[in-house]
Amino acid sequence: MKIAITRQVSSSIDQCVLTHLERQPIDFDLARLQHQQYESVLSSCGCRVVSLSPEVDYPDSVFVEDVAIVLDELAIITNPGAASRQGETESIAQVLKPYRHLEFIREPGRLDGGDVLCIDKNVYVGVSSRTNQPAIEQLSMILSPYGYTLKAVRVEGCLHLKSAVTQVSSQAVLLNPVWVESSTFEGVKVIEVHRSEPYAANCLMVGETLIYPDVYPITQSRLEREGIRILTIDVTELIKAEGAVTCCSLVFSA
Ligand code: CIR
Protein backbone atom coordinates (compact mmCIF):
# COMPACT_ATOMS: atom_id res chain seq x y z
CA MET A 1 0.00 0.00 0.00
CA LYS A 2 1.24 3.48 -0.86
CA ILE A 3 0.90 6.42 1.49
CA ALA A 4 0.82 10.03 0.23
CA ILE A 5 1.41 12.72 2.83
CA THR A 6 0.04 16.10 1.85
CA ARG A 7 -0.60 19.35 3.69
CA GLN A 8 -3.58 21.55 2.90
CA VAL A 9 -2.88 24.96 1.39
CA SER A 10 -2.07 27.68 3.91
CA SER A 11 -4.29 30.78 3.84
CA SER A 12 -1.01 32.76 3.80
CA ILE A 13 0.19 31.15 0.53
CA ASP A 14 0.22 34.57 -1.15
CA GLN A 15 3.26 35.34 1.06
CA CYS A 16 5.19 32.35 -0.29
CA VAL A 17 8.88 32.58 -1.16
CA LEU A 18 9.53 33.30 -4.84
CA THR A 19 12.94 33.01 -6.50
CA HIS A 20 12.50 32.92 -10.28
CA LEU A 21 8.90 34.10 -10.67
CA GLU A 22 7.20 37.48 -10.41
CA ARG A 23 4.58 37.63 -7.65
CA GLN A 24 1.02 37.26 -8.96
CA PRO A 25 -2.19 37.19 -6.92
CA ILE A 26 -3.06 33.63 -5.85
CA ASP A 27 -6.75 32.72 -5.63
CA PHE A 28 -6.78 30.88 -2.29
CA ASP A 29 -10.14 29.15 -2.82
CA LEU A 30 -9.05 27.95 -6.24
CA ALA A 31 -5.67 26.81 -4.87
CA ARG A 32 -7.50 24.83 -2.18
CA LEU A 33 -9.79 23.26 -4.78
CA GLN A 34 -6.86 22.36 -7.04
CA HIS A 35 -5.07 20.82 -4.08
CA GLN A 36 -8.15 18.74 -3.19
CA GLN A 37 -8.24 17.52 -6.79
CA TYR A 38 -4.55 16.66 -6.54
CA GLU A 39 -5.30 14.58 -3.43
CA SER A 40 -8.17 12.84 -5.29
CA VAL A 41 -5.83 11.96 -8.17
CA LEU A 42 -3.36 10.48 -5.68
CA SER A 43 -6.20 8.38 -4.23
CA SER A 44 -7.20 7.23 -7.71
CA CYS A 45 -3.59 6.06 -8.19
CA GLY A 46 -3.99 3.79 -5.15
CA CYS A 47 -2.50 6.02 -2.43
CA ARG A 48 -3.90 6.37 1.06
CA VAL A 49 -3.76 10.16 1.41
CA VAL A 50 -2.78 11.52 4.83
CA SER A 51 -3.94 15.12 4.49
CA LEU A 52 -2.41 17.31 7.21
CA SER A 53 -4.04 20.49 8.53
CA PRO A 54 -2.94 23.80 7.03
CA GLU A 55 -0.29 25.85 8.83
CA VAL A 56 -0.97 29.57 8.62
CA ASP A 57 2.49 30.47 9.97
CA TYR A 58 4.16 28.70 7.04
CA PRO A 59 3.02 30.06 3.66
CA ASP A 60 4.95 27.36 1.73
CA SER A 61 4.00 24.40 3.92
CA VAL A 62 1.80 22.84 1.20
CA PHE A 63 5.10 21.91 -0.49
CA VAL A 64 5.85 18.97 1.83
CA GLU A 65 8.35 17.42 -0.57
CA ASP A 66 10.98 19.94 0.52
CA VAL A 67 11.09 18.93 4.18
CA ALA A 68 11.73 15.19 3.89
CA ILE A 69 13.16 12.47 1.66
CA VAL A 70 11.43 9.14 2.18
CA LEU A 71 13.23 6.03 0.98
CA ASP A 72 12.38 2.36 1.52
CA GLU A 73 14.82 2.01 4.42
CA LEU A 74 14.62 5.39 6.19
CA ALA A 75 13.50 9.02 5.94
CA ILE A 76 15.71 12.08 6.08
CA ILE A 77 14.29 15.28 7.53
CA THR A 78 15.87 18.17 5.66
CA ASN A 79 17.01 21.60 6.79
CA PRO A 80 15.25 23.76 4.16
CA GLY A 81 17.28 26.38 2.34
CA ALA A 82 14.75 29.19 2.84
CA ALA A 83 14.77 30.61 6.40
CA SER A 84 10.98 31.04 6.39
CA ARG A 85 10.55 27.29 5.81
CA GLN A 86 12.76 25.89 8.54
CA GLY A 87 9.91 25.51 11.03
CA GLU A 88 8.07 23.16 8.67
CA THR A 89 10.23 20.16 9.54
CA GLU A 90 9.16 19.34 13.11
CA SER A 91 5.56 18.38 12.35
CA ILE A 92 6.56 16.28 9.32
CA ALA A 93 9.12 14.42 11.45
CA GLN A 94 6.31 13.51 13.87
CA VAL A 95 4.14 12.28 10.99
CA LEU A 96 6.91 10.16 9.44
CA LYS A 97 8.19 8.66 12.69
CA PRO A 98 5.76 5.69 12.76
CA TYR A 99 6.75 4.73 9.21
CA ARG A 100 10.53 5.08 9.04
CA HIS A 101 13.76 5.41 10.98
CA LEU A 102 14.59 9.15 10.84
CA GLU A 103 17.87 10.91 10.11
CA PHE A 104 18.37 14.69 9.96
CA ILE A 105 20.28 17.23 7.87
CA ARG A 106 21.84 19.73 10.27
CA GLU A 107 23.53 23.15 10.07
CA PRO A 108 25.57 24.21 8.16
CA GLY A 109 23.84 21.83 5.76
CA ARG A 110 20.84 23.22 3.89
CA LEU A 111 18.79 21.03 1.61
CA ASP A 112 15.33 21.04 0.00
CA GLY A 113 13.74 17.72 -0.94
CA GLY A 114 12.91 19.23 -4.33
CA ASP A 115 16.62 18.92 -5.09
CA VAL A 116 16.71 15.15 -4.55
CA LEU A 117 15.86 12.74 -7.35
CA CYS A 118 16.20 9.02 -6.60
CA ILE A 119 16.31 6.50 -9.41
CA ASP A 120 16.80 3.04 -7.92
CA LYS A 121 19.95 3.34 -5.78
CA ASN A 122 21.20 6.47 -7.61
CA VAL A 123 20.53 9.71 -5.76
CA TYR A 124 20.97 12.88 -7.81
CA VAL A 125 21.20 16.02 -5.67
CA GLY A 126 20.85 19.50 -7.14
CA VAL A 127 23.36 22.11 -6.05
CA SER A 128 20.95 25.04 -6.06
CA SER A 129 20.18 28.23 -4.16
CA ARG A 130 18.54 25.95 -1.52
CA THR A 131 20.94 23.01 -1.26
CA ASN A 132 24.60 23.27 -0.32
CA GLN A 133 27.71 21.06 -0.28
CA PRO A 134 27.73 20.37 3.51
CA ALA A 135 24.19 18.96 3.22
CA ILE A 136 25.20 16.79 0.27
CA GLU A 137 28.11 15.43 2.30
CA GLN A 138 25.80 14.68 5.24
CA LEU A 139 23.30 12.97 2.94
CA SER A 140 26.04 10.87 1.40
CA MET A 141 27.23 9.73 4.87
CA ILE A 142 23.66 8.87 5.86
CA LEU A 143 22.85 6.93 2.68
CA SER A 144 26.05 5.11 1.78
CA PRO A 145 25.52 2.31 4.37
CA TYR A 146 22.24 1.55 2.58
CA GLY A 147 23.99 1.12 -0.80
CA TYR A 148 22.96 4.45 -2.35
CA THR A 149 25.36 6.42 -4.57
CA LEU A 150 25.08 10.20 -4.59
CA LYS A 151 25.81 12.48 -7.51
CA ALA A 152 25.83 16.27 -7.08
CA VAL A 153 24.26 18.02 -10.08
CA ARG A 154 24.62 21.68 -10.98
CA VAL A 155 21.21 23.36 -11.49
CA GLU A 156 20.97 26.78 -13.13
CA GLY A 157 17.97 28.96 -13.96
CA CYS A 158 15.33 27.19 -11.87
CA LEU A 159 14.50 26.58 -8.22
CA HIS A 160 15.23 22.87 -7.73
CA LEU A 161 16.70 19.87 -9.52
CA LYS A 162 13.18 18.47 -9.88
CA SER A 163 12.05 21.69 -11.61
CA ALA A 164 14.51 20.62 -14.31
CA VAL A 165 14.25 16.82 -14.34
CA THR A 166 11.96 14.08 -13.01
CA GLN A 167 11.52 10.37 -13.62
CA VAL A 168 8.73 9.44 -16.05
CA SER A 169 9.13 5.66 -16.36
CA SER A 170 11.38 2.92 -15.02
CA GLN A 171 14.04 3.83 -17.60
CA ALA A 172 13.38 7.46 -18.60
CA VAL A 173 13.56 11.01 -17.29
CA LEU A 174 11.94 14.19 -18.60
CA LEU A 175 14.42 17.05 -18.62
CA ASN A 176 14.94 20.71 -19.50
CA PRO A 177 18.48 20.79 -21.01
CA VAL A 178 18.79 24.55 -20.38
CA TRP A 179 18.65 24.02 -16.60
CA VAL A 180 20.48 20.72 -16.15
CA GLU A 181 23.04 18.76 -18.21
CA SER A 182 21.50 15.76 -20.02
CA SER A 183 24.80 13.87 -19.79
CA THR A 184 24.35 13.63 -16.00
CA PHE A 185 21.83 10.85 -16.57
CA GLU A 186 24.09 8.38 -18.30
CA GLY A 187 22.37 5.06 -19.00
CA VAL A 188 18.90 6.60 -18.62
CA LYS A 189 16.71 7.55 -21.58
CA VAL A 190 16.28 11.35 -21.68
CA ILE A 191 13.10 12.94 -23.04
CA GLU A 192 13.42 16.72 -23.39
CA VAL A 193 10.67 19.24 -22.69
CA HIS A 194 9.69 21.42 -25.65
CA ARG A 195 11.70 24.66 -25.46
CA SER A 196 8.48 26.74 -25.37
CA GLU A 197 7.50 24.88 -22.13
CA PRO A 198 10.51 25.30 -19.81
CA TYR A 199 8.57 24.40 -16.66
CA ALA A 200 7.22 21.15 -18.13
CA ALA A 201 9.77 18.77 -16.59
CA ASN A 202 8.09 18.43 -13.19
CA CYS A 203 5.79 15.42 -13.10
CA LEU A 204 4.92 12.92 -10.41
CA MET A 205 5.21 9.22 -11.17
CA VAL A 206 2.97 7.07 -8.98
CA GLY A 207 3.26 3.43 -9.99
CA GLU A 208 2.74 3.32 -13.77
CA THR A 209 0.89 6.67 -13.91
CA LEU A 210 2.28 10.14 -14.41
CA ILE A 211 0.46 13.00 -12.70
CA TYR A 212 1.08 15.99 -14.94
CA PRO A 213 0.02 19.68 -15.08
CA ASP A 214 -2.46 20.28 -17.92
CA VAL A 215 -0.61 23.33 -19.31
CA TYR A 216 2.22 21.72 -21.30
CA PRO A 217 0.49 20.12 -24.32
CA ILE A 218 3.54 19.79 -26.59
CA THR A 219 5.67 18.04 -24.00
CA GLN A 220 2.65 15.99 -22.93
CA SER A 221 2.27 14.62 -26.45
CA ARG A 222 5.99 13.72 -26.47
CA LEU A 223 5.39 11.65 -23.32
CA GLU A 224 2.27 10.05 -24.76
CA ARG A 225 4.20 9.05 -27.88
CA GLU A 226 6.52 7.13 -25.53
CA GLY A 227 3.48 5.16 -24.28
CA ILE A 228 3.42 6.85 -20.87
CA ARG A 229 0.03 6.89 -19.11
CA ILE A 230 -0.79 10.45 -18.02
CA LEU A 231 -3.40 11.91 -15.70
CA THR A 232 -3.52 15.67 -16.15
CA ILE A 233 -4.38 18.09 -13.40
CA ASP A 234 -4.99 21.83 -13.06
CA VAL A 235 -2.42 23.34 -10.65
CA THR A 236 -2.18 26.91 -11.96
CA GLU A 237 -2.43 28.53 -8.50
CA LEU A 238 0.32 26.30 -7.07
CA ILE A 239 2.52 27.06 -10.08
CA LYS A 240 2.22 30.79 -9.17
CA ALA A 241 3.84 29.86 -5.81
CA GLU A 242 6.72 28.24 -7.76
CA GLY A 243 5.47 24.76 -7.00
CA ALA A 244 4.06 22.03 -9.21
CA VAL A 245 3.17 18.35 -8.79
CA THR A 246 6.10 16.58 -7.11
CA CYS A 247 6.34 19.15 -4.34
CA CYS A 248 2.85 18.72 -2.86
CA SER A 249 3.28 15.15 -1.58
CA LEU A 250 5.59 12.59 -0.03
CA VAL A 251 4.66 9.25 -1.60
CA PHE A 252 6.08 5.99 -0.24
CA SER A 253 5.28 2.36 0.40
CA ALA A 254 4.04 1.52 3.89
C1 CIR B 1 9.60 27.87 -2.22
O1 CIR B 1 10.17 28.77 -2.82
O2 CIR B 1 10.15 27.21 -1.35
C2 CIR B 1 8.15 27.60 -2.59
N1 CIR B 1 7.52 28.84 -2.94
C3 CIR B 1 8.04 26.61 -3.71
C4 CIR B 1 8.60 25.27 -3.37
C5 CIR B 1 8.35 24.25 -4.43
N2 CIR B 1 8.95 23.03 -4.06
C6 CIR B 1 9.32 22.10 -4.93
O3 CIR B 1 9.16 22.25 -6.13
N3 CIR B 1 9.89 21.00 -4.44
Side-chain angles (χ1 to χ4, degrees), residues 16-17 19 60 63 65-66 85 114 130 159-160 241-243 247:
C16 66
V17 185
T19 308
D60 286 297
F63 302 122
E65 170 182 62
D66 293 319
R85 302 200 57 189
R130 299 290 174 84
L159 183 58
H160 289 128
E242 218 164 342
C247 53

Side-chain angles (χ1 to χ4, degrees), residues 168-180:
V168 291
S169 75
S170 56
Q171 334 75 354
V173 292
L174 176 64
L175 172 148
N176 179 338
V178 177
W179 292 343
V180 70

Side-chain angles (χ1 to χ4, degrees), residues 30-44 233-235:
L30 183 55
R32 223 167 28 168
L33 182 67
Q34 291 177 349
H35 188 259
Q36 283 161 2
Q37 286 164 349
Y38 174 82
E39 290 177 328
S40 301
V41 170
L42 284 169
S43 297
S44 74
I233 178 160
D234 181 0
V235 284

